[in-house]
Amino acid sequence: MSELKAGLTSTRRYDIDKGRTIGFMGDDCRVYSTPALLYDIEVVCRDLLLENIEAGKDSVGTRVELDHVGATLLGMWVEITVKLVEVNGPAVTFEFTARDALEEVARGKHSRFIVGAEKTAQRLKAKLEKAMAAA
């Protein structure tokens, strides 16, 4: 994790397709859903970490503060920019913004924890065994 430094940034553009939208207001008013926005933010943060941590490591999300402040219509695009603002051992915090062609649509913070992928998989499999035994 020595390569991780506050200040690292990444920006990714997403086209807002039907699968990323809510539909309860009718097809003419489909907008980027908050769950899809959050998923896309997490992907950009995780990918930035994967580019800068050693093989065999990954990360899990631990906290999100998300203000979804604007609607992005079906067919528009959104650019999500994340910035690593804090590295505290394996705990990292990002600030993010999301913009479409007309306005800011979201901002907030996202915390992740860097883990050993194999060790985490072993822990999860052990929990599954316990859950199956208790069922």
Side-chain angles (χ1 to χ4, degrees):
M1 286 182 278
S2 59
E3 299 175 39
L4 283 182
K5 297 178 190 145
L8 290 174
T9 64
S10 182
T11 300
R12 186 169 302 161
R13 182 178 283 200
Y14 290 93
D15 292 323
I16 305 308
D17 57 16
K18 192 171 184 178
R20 284 189 161 87
T21 64
I22 56 97
F24 62 82
M25 295 186 64
D27 281 345
D28 290 344
C29 295
R30 283 189 167 274
V31 295
Y32 197 17
S33 73
T34 303
L37 169 63
L38 175 56
Y39 177 81
D40 292 341
I41 291 164
E42 283 205 87
V43 168
V44 179
C45 291
R46 179 177 175 257
D47 286 351
L48 179 61
L49 289 175
L50 288 174
E51 293 169 9
N52 291 281
I53 58 179
E54 63 231 39
K57 299 286 186 179
D58 208 319
S59 67
V60 294
T62 59
R63 180 171 170 74
V64 176
E65 296 174 36
L66 171 64
D67 295 320
H68 195 167
V69 297
T72 301
L73 294 162
L74 174 66
M76 295 180 76
W77 54 261
V78 164
E79 276 189 352
I80 297 171
T81 299
V82 302
K83 181 178 181 180
L84 184 60
V85 295
E86 184 178 354
V87 178
N88 186 9
V92 297
T93 302
F94 293 89
E95 291 179 350
F96 61 83
T97 59
R99 298 192 57 81
D100 62 26
L102 302 175
E103 64 186 352
E104 180 182 60
V105 298
R107 62 184 166 281
K109 291 184 178 184
H110 178 44
S111 299
R112 297 188 70 79
F113 197 84
I114 297 169
V115 297
E118 187 174 315
K119 185 175 181 181
T120 300
Q122 289 172 354
R123 183 177 53 81
L124 294 174
K125 288 175 184 175
K127 183 173 183 174
L128 178 60
E129 287 178 19
K130 286 181 185 177
M132 291 175 63

